[in-house]
Each structure stands twice: as structure tokens, then as C-alpha cells.
Amino acid sequence: MHKLMMGLARSMAMAGGVVLSLLILLTCLSIAGRLLNGGLHGALMQSIAPDLAEWLIAIGVGPINGDFEVVEAGVAFAIFAFLPLCQITAGHASVDIVTNSFPRGAKRFLRMVTEIVFAAVLVLIAVRLGAGALSKFQNGETSFLLEFPVWWAYAASLVAASVAAVVGIYMAAVRTIEFMTGRILVWDGVEGEQ
């Protein structure tokens, strides 16, 4: 079961990485286009090669239209896509100055409670994203510039959030079993020796 969950988490993280890489490329191209467009409209280019400048402007050299809309939707998906791997590898930030002095049983209890709370929050997020996607689908809302249906972004984020919720539930079950039995089922390096 752990191999399946880890594979699912890694697949989502890879999808998030691909989307994030494409968004970085899109942003860089848009910024470069914006700079080039400004230079083409500048006095220097207009005096040296006005025909070339006008031709480049006419073919569309400039910022990418609606880039921020795509970045907004893509980053939301990427964030949710990275959550399952972070959840299954205990990659969330933690402050354990006080808890380091607790006995092993108390630490396991806190880890179990934390995983259960995380799972509940991830399920709540997925449910609310589902409701949001349905609402956006029903009212036909579109983005301002590109006019793509807003529910697409909600649906993509919902898929990733649902995987995060499933992995969160799995990890809550694992930590609960670990607490009840005293055995470590999934070693992640967080629980130190005492």
C-alpha cells in the first residue's frame, strides 16, 4: 500500500513540477516580450530601424496576453500537486523545540493527532474545491482576458487536492496504527532515538 501511495504522491509532484516549469517559461517569455516591445517602441529602435520595429510589433512581439491568468491557475494546481509528497515524507515545517524532550509515546501521540488534523483539513479543502468547481461550472464564469472557463482551474486543483486528501487519510491511518502498536510502519527519519 505504501508503494502505491508513494508512487501516487511522486506522480502528482512530477505533474506539479512540469506545470511549474512551464509557468516559469511562460513568465520569462512574457517578460522578455514586454522588454522587447518597450525597446521596439523606443526612440533608438524607431530611429535605427523603424520598419523592422513596426514589423516585429505587428507580428506580436510583446508580453503574452493573459499570462497572469494562466500563472494563477497553474500555481494553484502546482501547490496542491506537491502536497501529497510533502505529506507522505513528513516534509512539512515543524517546530519541535519543546517536543524533543517528550517521551517516545507522547511524540507518537502528537504525530498521530497532527496527521489526523492534516487529513481532516485536506479532505475539507478537497470538498470545498469540489463545491467551488461545481459553482463556477454552473454559473459559466470565465477569466477576464483569455476567457477560459474558471472551473478548469478549480477542477485541476481538485484532482491534486483529492490525491492529497487520500494520502493524508492514509498517513493518518499509518500514524494511528503506529501509536496503537508501538511499531514504526513508515520510517521518515522524524522520530529520533531516545
Side-chain angles (χ1 to χ4, degrees), residues 4-30:
L4 173 70
M5 289 296 163
M6 184 61 89
L8 190 58
R10 283 188 175 144
S11 297
M12 286 307 303
M14 283 190 247
V18 167
V19 168
L20 201 54
S21 297
L22 291 173
L23 293 175
I24 290 168
L25 179 64
L26 172 74
T27 301
C28 290
L29 289 173
S30 186

Side-chain angles (χ1 to χ4, degrees), residues 14-193:
M14 283 190 247
V18 167
V19 168
L20 201 54
S21 297
L22 291 173
L23 293 175
I24 290 168
L25 179 64
L26 172 74
T27 301
C28 290
L29 289 173
S30 186
I31 290 169
R34 187 172 288 114
L35 288 172
L36 283 172
N37 188 276
L40 293 172
H41 280 95
L44 178 64
M45 195 62 181
Q46 289 296 324
S47 64
I48 296 173
D51 292 334
L52 176 64
E54 292 304 319
W55 178 74
L56 288 171
I57 292 168
I59 65 168
V61 172
I64 297 172
N65 188 32
D67 59 342
F68 65 91
E69 292 176 351
V70 175
V71 168
E72 182 179 33
V75 166
F77 168 78
I79 289 169
F80 287 115
F82 294 135
L83 276 176
L85 187 61
C86 192
Q87 189 70 23
I88 202 165
T89 60
H92 297 293
S94 67
V95 179
D96 50 6
I97 294 170
V98 175
T99 60
N100 280 340
S101 62
F102 288 3
R104 182 176 289 163
K107 287 188 216 178
R108 283 190 179 163
F109 177 75
L110 285 174
R111 288 194 74 196
M112 177 189 70
V113 169
T114 302
E115 291 289 351
I116 290 170
V117 170
F118 259 120
V121 168
L122 290 170
V123 168
L124 178 65
I125 288 170
V127 167
R128 295 311 306 153
L129 266 173
L134 183 61
S135 171
K136 299 297 181 186
F137 176 75
Q138 289 173 339
N139 71 22
E141 185 177 337
T142 61
S143 66
F144 182 67
L145 293 174
L146 297 178
E147 296 182 355
F148 68 82
V150 174
W151 73 268
W152 291 354
Y154 275 77
S157 294
L158 175 60
V159 169
S162 296
V163 171
V166 168
V167 170
I169 292 168
Y170 165 74
M171 288 308 297
V174 165
R175 298 301 176 213
T176 301
I177 293 168
E178 286 179 351
F179 175 71
M180 298 297 185
T181 64
R183 295 184 6 233
I184 295 176
L185 300 177
V186 177
W187 179 258
D188 54 19
V190 172
E191 186 172 324
E193 294 299 318

